[in-house]
Amino acid sequence: MKTKLTLMLLVLAALACGPLTSALPSEQDIEDVVEQAVETTEAGVQPVEEEPTAPPEPTATEAPAAEPIRQWGSAATASTQYGSDSWSAAQATGAPDTHPECGDITTAWASAYSDTIDTLEVSYGVPVFATEVNIYQTYNPNSVVSVELLDTTGTYHEIYSSEPAEADCPLIQTINVEQTPYETVAVRVTVDQSVIGSWNEIDAIELVGIPVDGSAPQPEASTDDEEAPAEPVDFDTPENFLWRQGGPAGIDDDQFAFLGGMDVGPDGLVYLSDNIHGVYVYDAGGNQVTVIDHPDVNNAADVKYNPVNDRIYVAAWGSDSVVVFTAEGEYVTTFGGAGNGPGQFGTFSPQSLAIHPDGRVFVLDEGETDAEEDFVRVQVFDAEGTFLSEFPITESPFSATAMDFSADGTLHVLGFVGGFILQLDESGNEVGRIGEDALDFTGPQSLHIAPNGHIYVAVWTPASVIELDAAGTQLATYGVEFDPDDDDWPPGALVQPSGAAAAPDGSRIYVVDRSGDFAYLNAYGVE
């Protein structure tokens, strides 16, 4: 009886441990199994173990539908681009920073020529099954003739084709796609600009789709409620660094957009040209005083103070003109206009100004003759904007990029490619060249001559400001080059300086610095 009871308990336990999906045993089933086990035991025969039964297959349940994610480009390439920074393919990465503005603005991609067929390809960090593409176009939109998606095997799939047609600017062109069966990693856009005959500039391309793994990438969890602090930057701030103003670049009123040439007035006020906002004015302590702007100031590239009449002159290549203001910022007049005749300026001109000690205004102009031959010239105007004369810049290779006058009336012209300063008299005759040893292969950008005759040149390689004496001998450098890796950079560092100017008393210099995402005005004490 004890053996039978023990066996019964073992059988019940075994049955109880079986799959819950099996049918429950009846009393008779249990009795039969126990009796069989008892008989086998009493006969001295060990029970035979049965092969285990495979568990039933789990019932499939449908996973919840994944939500689409939206992402901006992380990298971009193009068949051609207008510049290595401004209008480069990289300008089409990230969120829009030109839209909703419309115009020939440096923060969007533009091809090298205005009437060609070109491609722009933007890549993304998360592969998706694509459902939508949004193309942000900010100048002469709707020349997009083809849109293709690139999958992980390197195959392109066309999802859109059309013919160029004029459209309102700006334009967000939305292309809806039936969810792709392939993983999309890039978008390639082809523009045919031969019909409209001008640049179709693209600010950004948004890709929408279902992530391949079914979910968007999530940030790593933090043990604290607050965001984990960023890794400290290994950088020693220069001892002569004073302050900086700026931050993320953009089109909002409290942001720098794309900073260009600059100047300092006799009262110490600092003037910064900005392609979106006109001219910013700051005091020596880094406080914003005002913003000078006018509808004629389209894509300001340079600004100069004229001490003879106490006026501000702004080179605005977007309107092919020079715009004049009082020192208080009141509009006075505009002179110039598009063309290649006397007093007119070519496409993307004027780019640089210089004020003669007697108040005349010298303007750097690049353009084409009626026979489509390129030329570079300096045009001379009186302080009121009346055309007086012109002379060519024939030095090659040179690529004149900035100008300024020394106190003796010698015009200094900086060559970006030449890597030196060409000295000319007021009629354009060469009287010297300086700075070859200090500036060769530095990518010089701007030129400012201080009252004491010292020359300050913003350069890209390495990113810094070089101080020269009147003979072109290097005296000092300001700022420390820093690679931000598409991020912000610490105070005192420089990434891509585009302008520099010295205070009238020589106590400090001001430097404008920028990348595609950030822009700053910096101040350094003069050593």
Side-chain angles (χ1 to χ4, degrees):
M1 181 65 184
K2 183 177 179 182
T3 301
K4 185 173 182 179
L5 179 60
T6 302
L7 289 171
M8 181 179 288
L9 291 173
L10 290 171
V11 170
L12 288 173
L15 291 170
C17 293
L20 293 178
T21 55
S22 303
L24 293 175
S26 66
E27 292 182 6
Q28 185 60 47
D29 292 334
I30 296 172
E31 187 70 25
D32 292 343
V33 171
V34 172
E35 289 295 338
Q36 183 180 358
V38 170
E39 292 173 359
T40 303
T41 303
E42 290 175 350
V45 180
Q46 295 296 324
V48 179
E49 293 185 3
E50 296 183 5
E51 291 293 326
T53 303
E57 293 293 328
T59 304
T61 57
E62 185 174 350
E67 292 294 323
I69 64 169
R70 316 181 79 91
Q71 53 182 328
W72 304 106
S74 57
T77 58
S79 55
T80 68
Q81 57 187 17
Y82 193 82
S84 59
D85 180 29
S86 302
W87 296 288
S88 68
Q91 297 294 349
T93 61
D97 55 2
T98 306
H99 187 274
E101 296 293 322
C102 175
D104 191 14
I105 300 171
T106 58
T107 49
W109 168 75
S111 59
Y113 302 97
S114 63
D115 57 355
T116 54
I117 298 175
D118 283 276
T119 60
L120 170 68
E121 184 170 312
V122 178
S123 304
Y124 301 85
V126 181
V128 296
F129 300 112
T131 59
E132 181 182 317
V133 173
N134 295 301
I135 307 171
Y136 285 69
Q137 303 172 52
T138 52
Y139 193 53
N140 297 310
N142 214 31
S143 287
V144 173
V145 295
S146 175
V147 178
E148 300 164 284
L149 303 181
L150 176 66
D151 67 23
T152 52
T153 69
T155 303
Y156 290 92
H157 307 264
E158 188 173 62
I159 60 169
Y160 171 87
S161 64
S162 185
E163 295 297 324
E166 293 186 359
D168 292 337
C169 184
L171 171 68
I172 303 176
Q173 185 174 4
T174 298
I175 302 167
N176 293 308
V177 185
E178 184 176 351
Q179 183 175 319
T180 61
Y182 49 84
E183 303 173 16
T184 300
V185 294
V187 176
R188 182 167 70 180
V189 172
T190 302
V191 293
D192 182 355
Q193 301 163 130
S194 63
V195 176
I196 295 178
S198 188
W199 285 274
N200 185 167
E201 299 184 8
I202 296 176
D203 183 26
I205 301 178
E206 182 184 39
L207 175 63
V208 184
I210 306 298
V212 171
D213 64 358
S215 62
Q218 299 295 321
E220 295 182 1
S222 175
T223 55
D224 302 320
D225 293 336
E226 297 182 359
E227 185 176 332
E231 291 292 326
V233 176
D234 184 16
F235 179 79
D236 294 328
T237 303
E239 293 183 359
N240 64 333
F241 174 75
L242 302 176
W243 52 259
R244 78 174 183 183
Q245 293 290 346
I251 62 175
D252 293 341
D253 291 341
D254 60 349
Q255 295 177 299
F256 295 141
F258 191 88
L259 298 173
M262 63 186 304
D263 202 6
V264 182
D267 55 2
L269 291 180
V270 184
Y271 300 90
L272 318 174
S273 63
D274 183 286
N275 73 328
I276 295 294
H277 302 108
V279 175
Y280 285 100
V281 184
Y282 279 78
D283 65 19
N287 304 298
Q288 183 177 319
V289 176
T290 189
V291 179
I292 300 174
D293 201 6
H294 184 272
D296 287 349
V297 179
N298 183 352
N299 281 291
D302 196 12
V303 57
K304 287 293 190 292
Y305 172 81
N306 191 336
V308 174
N309 59 4
D310 195 30
R311 290 180 178 176
I312 307 299
Y313 292 75
V314 183
W317 63 259
S319 57
D320 303 291
S321 60
V322 176
V323 189
V324 187
F325 299 88
T326 66
E328 294 73 32
E330 296 179 3
Y331 173 75
V332 176
T333 188
T334 299
F335 61 88
N340 55 20
Q344 297 177 321
F345 302 116
T347 306
F348 302 112
S349 285
Q351 286 281 351
S352 180
L353 306 172
I355 306 298
H356 191 277
D358 65 10
R360 284 179 294 164
V361 182
F362 285 60
V363 185
L364 182 63
D365 175 36
E366 298 184 21
E368 288 185 343
T369 65
D370 292 339
E372 298 185 350
E373 296 177 348
D374 294 336
F375 65 79
V376 181
R377 63 181 176 179
V378 174
Q379 299 196 67
V380 185
F381 300 81
D382 67 17
E384 302 304 317
T386 302
F387 173 78
L388 300 175
S389 63
E390 64 178 77
F391 55 82
I393 301 290
T394 58
E395 182 72 26
S396 180
F398 188 64
S399 187
T401 188
M403 307 188 302
D404 203 1
F405 274 100
S406 56
D408 64 359
T410 299
L411 179 64
H412 292 62
V413 183
L414 179 67
F416 171 73
V417 174
F420 64 90
I421 298 170
L422 190 63
Q423 296 176 310
L424 308 174
D425 65 19
E426 62 183 44
S427 299
N429 301 304
E430 182 178 338
V431 296
R433 52 183 66 197
I434 60 174
E436 294 98 329
D437 292 341
L439 303 178
D440 196 23
F441 293 106
T442 62
Q445 297 295 304
S446 71
L447 174 69
H448 175 83
I449 302 179
N452 63 1
H454 288 190
I455 302 168
Y456 295 88
V457 181
V459 302
W460 280 357
T461 307
S464 58
V465 174
I466 297 177
E467 180 183 5
L468 310 173
D469 64 16
T473 302
Q474 183 169 334
L475 301 176
T477 60
Y478 300 88
V480 177
E481 184 177 52
F482 188 84
D483 183 1
D485 193 23
D486 297 326
D487 203 351
D488 201 353
W489 57 94
L494 295 176
V495 172
Q496 202 171 56
S498 57
D505 62 2
S507 63
R508 63 185 61 191
I509 67 165
Y510 304 98
V511 187
V512 292
D513 188 29
R514 54 176 167 75
S515 69
D517 300 314
F518 296 86
Y520 290 104
L521 167 64
N522 303 268
Y524 298 84
V526 172
E527 299 172 352

